Amino acid sequence: MSTYDKAFPPQQTQQKRRPRKTIWDTPYPWLIPLLLVLAAVFLYPILQIVRLSFTDANMIQVGYDYTLESYLRMFTLPGFFPMIGTTAFFVFFSVVFQLFAGFIVALLIVQGEKMNLRGTVIVRTSVLVAWAIPGVVIGVIWGMLYNETDAGIINYALSTVGLEPVSFLSDPTMALLSVTLANIWRGTAFSMILMYAGLKTVSKDVLEAAVIDGASALQRMKNVILPAIAPIILVNLIIISIDTFNTFDMVMALTGGGPGNSTEVIALSIYTAIFREFNLGEGAATAVVLLVVNVVMTLVYLKVLGRRGEE
């Protein structure tokens, strides 16, 4: 071996001659179109909403000034805290019953599959239909059910058994309950999908071992099934909470926020402030509040997913 070969082995020489990588040799340039689209349709509107929330802009006058009046006015409006209360009631009971109903339906389907019962696929498909129907159509469907005239399906059924008609949509308390019930029906399908996926991951060996140890059905549910699907329940809870917070189309089609403001949730309040009262600054300030709620819940969701990935 010559003196040159001893000083510069072949591998080191090859490494020295290898051209240095530039950014164009990485996958990042391929992400530029996607980043541009996201910036145009996602980031820019968000920044505009945040900017407008610090103005007194409206849909009638051209000019505007930067001010905190929109936020101060929003928190001092007489209808703001009732709207927050309506939203809290709507979200809390919708989420709780969507979780519960989704879990029960998923559990029944899984048990039916274990027993080789016919029709489990039909039941599963029927439940999924509610998830595929647009919110506006769901509002129209439940509007026909809640109709307080003789054409109303539920009131007609009540009249056949001698009961008085119910003011589903004209009474403020009943209207809020009716809208919440319709949203529970709507969201149960998605909740069932996640619950069904979680129940299918529960180990059969662990369940059989629990049966051999003499655990009752309630004990297996409490000590085996619920702990096994707890991460999925938490993810389900966060997703349907975000979805319920953003509910607009179904409520708009069903009650339009009425009677009065009894069913005006926060998303509908934003629409009312901007497109009915033409107050762009105040509507943007309310939208920022909704954005903060969604961002916080999304961060929690990402943290939960991170923990699951580490596990």
Side-chain angles (χ1 to χ4, degrees), residues 16-17 50 62 83 88 104 118 194 213 221 241 253 283 295 309:
K16 285 186 177 180
R17 290 177 180 176
V50 174
V62 177
M83 180 270 292
I104 294 298
R118 293 182 178 179
L194 293 185
D213 290 341
M221 177 63 67
S241 297
V295 168

Side-chain angles (χ1 to χ4, degrees), residues 92-132:
F92 177 77
F93 286 100
S94 292
V95 170
V96 168
F97 283 98
Q98 282 176 13
L99 278 178
F100 180 73
F103 177 75
I104 294 298
V105 174
L107 188 63
L108 291 175
I109 292 176
V110 171
Q111 292 299 322
E113 290 176 347
K114 288 181 180 177
M115 299 170 66
N116 294 322
L117 293 179
R118 293 182 178 179
T120 55
V121 176
I122 296 175
V123 172
R124 193 172 55 195
T125 306
S126 301
V127 175
L128 287 176
V129 169
W131 180 57

Side-chain angles (χ1 to χ4, degrees), residues 13 24 32 41 51 78 83 103 135 148 185 187 194 197 214 231 239 271 273 276 288 295:
T13 305
W24 299 105
I32 292 177
V41 303
R51 184 181 68 82
M83 180 270 292
F103 177 75
E148 298 174 11
W185 178 83
L194 293 185
I239 292 177
Y271 172 85
R276 289 180 177 172
V288 170
V295 168

Side-chain angles (χ1 to χ4, degrees), residues 140-160 164-166 168-169:
V140 173
I141 292 173
W142 280 89
M144 296 169 63
L145 292 172
Y146 289 143
N147 195 318
E148 298 174 11
T149 66
D150 295 337
I153 297 174
I154 297 179
N155 274 330
Y156 175 77
L158 294 175
S159 66
T160 57
E164 295 293 326
V166 178
F168 289 109
L169 300 178

Side-chain angles (χ1 to χ4, degrees), residues 234-254:
L234 184 56
V235 170
N236 190 10
L237 170 68
I238 297 170
I239 292 177
I240 62 177
S241 297
I242 294 174
D243 189 51
T244 307
F245 262 113
N246 295 324
T247 299
F248 166 79
D249 46 3
M250 190 270 294
V251 181
M252 184 68 184
L254 184 55

Side-chain angles (χ1 to χ4, degrees), residues 247-268:
T247 299
F248 166 79
D249 46 3
M250 190 270 294
V251 181
M252 184 68 184
L254 184 55
T255 65
N261 295 326
S262 59
T263 59
E264 187 177 78
V265 294
I266 188 169
L268 193 57

